[in-house]
Amino acid sequence: MQAMVKNWLFVSLLLGSHLMTLGQTTVRGKVIDASNQQGIGFVTVRLVTARDTTPVKEQITDSSGKFELLHISHGQYLLQLSSLGYQPLHKTVSLIPPVQPVMELGSVLLTPDPNLLNEVVVNGSKPAFQRIGDRLVMNIAGNRFFKTATNALDIFRKVPGLEVGGDGALLLSGRITPAVFIDGKPVPMSPEELQNYLTSLSPEMIESAELITNPSAQYDAEHKAIIDIKLKRDKTLGWRGNLNTNIQQNAYTYVENNFLLTYKTKKLTYTARLGYTGGTKIYRYSALQHHANKNILTTRTPISTRHNNFNYQLDAEYLINKDNRIEMVLRAYQVNRKAHAYNALYTTDSSATKVVSHTNTNNYNDPGQDNYAANLNYITRLGKGQLQIQGSLVGINNRQQEDIQTRNSLTGDPLFYWKTQLKNDIFIRTVQADLSGNIGKGKWNAGARFAFTTTKNDLRYDTLSS
């Protein structure tokens, strides 16, 4: 009898999961430009309920305009499509039984926005966004769409499908971290160094930026998406400087300073970048939890981080002749922080009157990082082709000390004492050669890359009784 009951339960679970699967549908389609019948990439596709427009699914079309919304329950929905340069579209989607496991919407047409087209014709300027092949091109310098942006991170906040977190982290389609290239060359930087560099680039310093969501074999397989920033080449001879300062004043002061100085002749261009970040930022976390045993846990964690960071970059470019150019870049980034966290865990009974436990943890963390890099880039034209050779040396030195002490606040007794000393040195060497040319109306390219990385770690952890 017991075995029969187990069998019936197993069959019921299988039947229930099968019915749940039957009650869900995949919605597919392809977004097409109504004027030229070409697929449109990077379109925001949202599926909301028809009754109260509650969001159900959201996705960005791939470079060919295709989208696929998985596991949609039966019901009435609205499909909302939006993309810069096109009129928004709302389409009703009815998933009323009986429905096939896959609903093919076929081609969904988007109409170009005539107002945007008129602006382009009257002003004679490039549109803010263009789709060229497998990439989304953002024309930035002199474009009034980006006029209110203060730096490259502000520009990226306007890109459909690209998210910029509060800490400056980049995320494409909610799941992919894009690699950042400068003028077609990878820039091996730590995430913090990269964010600092992007904040130093004003819109007038960037000619354009290309978002590549499906990189070709020309790039390393590790790059699932790429943002290639094309810096504006200033043709003005002589000296030119630019100073940017950003001050945040709340309970504490936080300052970001970036200075750019350029000297240009007909053959040589020298560029110096200097940056300093100083001040304090505060992060506070609090939570209230009701546990299964009826106890109430209150968590409070304020973290104070004091910054004292420097960065500099020296760039020299020499135009040998119209077919040959060589560039050398030296850069350094030094991080000195003091992050102090104070964590309190306060537990009471269900009436919130009797104290069950109360602990305090103090974490004194002093992380530091020194990054050094040297890059050499040589470009030459070979008939109708081009050869580019890149070499780089990158050194990253991490240092960190932690002092973590936890005490029972009711008795004053120490619970544990944890100390950390971390030493991590990374040295990267890379050489890359790329050869490209034209074949009729097409292009060809070939390349080779060598990379060698060494890492030295010395991690020490001490757990003390008092």
Side-chain angles (χ1 to χ4, degrees), residues 237 264-269 319:
L237 301 182
K264 184 177 178 64
T265 67
K266 291 183 178 180
K267 289 281 189 179
L268 276 166
T269 302
L319 183 64

Side-chain angles (χ1 to χ4, degrees), residues 140-209:
I140 297 169
N143 198 311
R144 64 183 186 180
F145 183 80
F146 301 107
K147 207 70 175 179
T148 57
T150 58
N151 52 51
L153 286 179
D154 283 345
I155 292 171
F156 294 156
R157 288 186 175 94
K158 298 175 180 287
V159 179
L162 185 62
E163 302 174 18
V164 181
D167 58 352
L170 302 175
L171 202 61
L172 181 64
S173 300
R175 57 189 175 87
I176 300 174
T177 300
V180 175
F181 282 46
I182 303 296
D183 290 328
K185 302 182 291 292
V187 284
M189 298 183 183
S190 66
E192 186 173 9
E193 183 182 5
L194 176 61
Q195 292 161 22
N196 183 274
Y197 178 76
L198 294 178
T199 57
S200 70
L201 297 178
S202 65
E204 294 306 319
M205 297 166 60
I206 305 174
E207 183 68 33
S208 63

Side-chain angles (χ1 to χ4, degrees), residues 55-98:
V56 177
K57 290 279 185 178
E58 182 172 337
Q59 195 181 96
I60 303 296
T61 62
D62 63 16
S63 57
S64 65
K66 294 181 180 179
F67 65 89
E68 185 178 63
L69 306 176
L70 304 175
H71 309 306
I72 307 301
S73 301
H74 292 166
Q76 293 281 358
Y77 299 96
L78 286 177
L79 188 69
Q80 301 175 344
L81 292 91
S82 60
S83 179
L84 288 168
Y86 292 88
Q87 295 179 354
L89 177 68
H90 296 252
K91 181 181 179 67
T92 301
V93 176
S94 297
L95 300 179
I96 304 300

